[in-house]
Amino acid sequence: MTERHLNYIAGEWQPAFGGTTFEDRNPADERDLIGLFPDSDAADVTAAISGVSAAWPAWAAQSPEVRADVLFRAADIMARRADEIATELTREEGKTLTEARNEARRIAANFRLYAGEALRLNGETYPSDSAQLVLSLRQPVGVVAVITPWNFPLSMAARKLGPALAAGNGVVFKPSEITPLMGQRLVEVLLEAGLPPKLVALVQGKGAKVGQAITASAGVDALTFTGSYAVGKQIAASLSTDTRVQLEMGGKNATVVLVDAGIDKAVATIERGAFGLTGQACTGTSRVLVARPLYAELVARLEKSASAIKVGPGMAEGVQMGPLATRVQYDKVLAYVGIAREEGGRVVGGDALREADSNLAHGYFVRPAVVSDLPETSRLWREEIFGPVVAVRPIDSLDEAIKLADDTEYGLAVSLVTGDLPSVLRFARETQHGIVKVNSPTTGVSLNAPFGGLKHSSNQAAKEQGGANVMDFYSRIKSIYLGA
Ligand code: ADP
């Protein structure tokens, strides 16, 4: 019996007003229907916004301890349910069970971090003459819309919902249509933790309809989005000028291997950054720039290790790489492998395992690909693929490494493999990337550090996730002049 899931609007679980639904299927086996979810439209969004607008002032008026307590309890529930939710995450998104557990188990720590922030929403006092006291007061923004992608459906959402709620806001949450169940699970956990029922609304939907209704609404005070540059740009263009917006978008991330780097360390760093999560991380490594003397050996070693990766359903024992999350992703990755070949590149891997292996015939399985000897004009140097495809190119100097690493419209994450401190310092200062990793993969971030990119990767509204300014986006500062 197919499970029919619901929206959560104004404190009630309910179908979309229009009555339509969309399917959620397992990318490792598309015959496996996970459930039907409401395919909402503008009417559902309007109801969601009006419910949350009515609810947030009472939440904002609560003492910060009350808000922190809800998030602490949500952390405990998440910790208890992490492995069970991780299994559903693998079924819904495709990542391996190990990757899913890593994501799900971390949510508790995220919620605890933001619970602490609820208690630290400090203002400041400013030097002034003795006739008055000048101070700043932080207040919630109001209704925060949260629009998230599918690749980290729990953590991307938790790191937006957590600070939004900690600061006293209400949230209208639109998860990706690829991972609606994970969005629902997060909302269930928050409600079980005692979040006031109308403070959060969950609006599921396929395509752009729900997002567009959110951006067109005058009732949204702030919108935080993670997804593609194309959609981020549309959101920015359609919002009214007094809506705050935070956009975290794509990346075309490079790992730079300098001549002193040990090959083993370089291979391990690249393999993890490029092929972890089936290459579907916005911080994933898709370009490698390697000192020319190491080029041939590094390419050979990467080809060997990529070929040895066990690809299969994320649930299966010993599998190191799950399927791509959608048919669209699968077709896109294979198209780029085809482009690399047409351009004259050497491609090892990139096979469509769906066609090649009858055990994998119903999922979006692709063998990881290592591409070398590409022309400088190759599209693989510039376009975001979002899959397990890595292109390798030789470099002759640190200057060239910096220039080529930055030769992209994006500027999210870059990594450098070397023990040479002067090169590290220069690279870290000069590169146009928001995250610089040294001797570690482009992927993987600390939950308490600022997260965000430069150029097309981010709109430069306060950085997401952690750091001293994490709450700036979710709160407004009022300057108060107290006269005697
Ligand atoms: P991804 O495919 O990586 O999830 P997208 O940018 O396509 O990235 O989608 C990210 C989120 O934005 C999803 O929840 C999606 O439903 C939503 N979305 C898609 N189109 C629009 C739009 N025009 N306005 C607002 N949100 C949108």
Side-chain angles (χ1 to χ4, degrees), residues 146-151 174-178 205-215 223 225-232 234-235 238 329 384 386:
V146 168
I147 302 181
T148 49
W150 46 263
N151 60 335
K174 155 69 176 83
S176 165
E177 60 267 40
I178 312 302
K206 201 171 159 63
K209 283 189 310 287
V210 172
Q212 282 172 341
I214 288 174
T215 54
L223 187 156
F225 165 85
T226 300
S228 62
Y229 177 70
V231 171
Q234 279 176 36
I235 289 176
S238 48
Q329 280 288 109
E384 190 182 34
F386 222 66

Side-chain angles (χ1 to χ4, degrees), residues 64-65 67-68 71 113-121 165-167 471:
E65 294 94 304
R67 295 198 293 275
L71 290 169
L113 171 73
Y114 302 121
E117 291 295 335
L119 304 169
R120 279 192 296 271
L121 272 172
L165 296 170
M471 300 304 275

Side-chain angles (χ1 to χ4, degrees), residues 160-423:
K160 295 176 187 296
L161 281 153
L165 296 170
N169 301 288
V171 171
V172 174
F173 175 28
K174 155 69 176 83
S176 165
E177 60 267 40
I178 312 302
T179 50
L181 184 61
M182 291 300 97
Q184 180 181 319
R185 292 292 180 249
L186 269 188
V187 169
E188 287 167 358
V189 165
L190 286 162
L191 293 173
E192 190 185 335
L195 195 75
K198 295 182 181 169
L199 196 66
V200 67
L202 173 72
V203 190
Q204 306 279 14
K206 201 171 159 63
K209 283 189 310 287
V210 172
Q212 282 172 341
I214 288 174
T215 54
S217 168
V220 171
D221 300 296
L223 187 156
T224 173
F225 165 85
T226 300
S228 62
Y229 177 70
V231 171
K233 205 169 151 191
Q234 279 176 36
I235 289 176
S238 48
L239 280 176
S240 82
T241 46
D242 50 6
T243 306
R244 259 180 203 210
V245 61
Q246 182 179 56
L247 306 169
E248 287 298 340
M249 300 168 283
K252 185 70 190 169
N253 316 296
T255 290
V256 175
V257 180
L258 296 187
V259 72
D260 70 297
I263 286 279
D264 289 347
K265 185 188 260 181
V267 170
T269 306
I270 296 161
E271 198 180 11
R272 178 121 175 261
F275 304 139
L277 300 148
T278 321
Q280 300 174 120
C282 44
T283 51
T285 303
S286 68
R287 300 178 295 148
V288 171
L289 306 169
V290 52
R292 194 175 296 276
L294 304 183
Y295 177 71
E297 191 185 352
L298 186 81
V299 169
R301 285 282 307 275
L302 277 175
E303 289 173 351
K304 195 165 162 231
S305 66
S307 308
I309 289 175
K310 186 163 182 217
V311 181
M315 289 300 179
E317 194 67 35
V319 160
Q320 295 163 301
M321 185 190 286
L324 291 153
T326 63
R327 178 80 207 207
V328 171
Q329 280 288 109
Y330 175 83
D331 291 340
K332 186 176 169 200
V333 166
L334 292 177
Y336 274 102
V337 169
I339 291 167
R341 290 209 173 93
E342 277 160 31
E343 289 177 337
R346 172 184 156 84
V347 182
V348 170
D351 318 66
L353 295 177
R354 183 188 173 86
E355 272 100 67
D357 181 338
S358 58
N359 292 323
L360 304 178
H362 300 285
Y364 310 129
F365 298 99
V366 175
R367 181 161 294 299
V370 178
V371 185
S372 53
D373 301 344
L374 278 169
E376 287 179 13
T377 51
S378 171
R379 287 172 60 188
L380 272 80
W381 295 124
R382 297 223 149 56
E383 298 171 18
E384 190 182 34
I385 303 171
F386 222 66
V389 179
V390 71
V392 193
R393 169 173 184 171
I395 45 162
D396 290 303
S397 65
L398 184 65
D399 284 332
E400 193 184 10
I402 296 172
K403 183 167 154 272
L404 290 181
D406 288 350
D407 184 20
T408 156
E409 289 172 335
Y410 294 106
L412 186 54
V414 67
S415 83
L416 185 61
V417 189
T418 180
D420 184 52
L421 195 53
S423 299

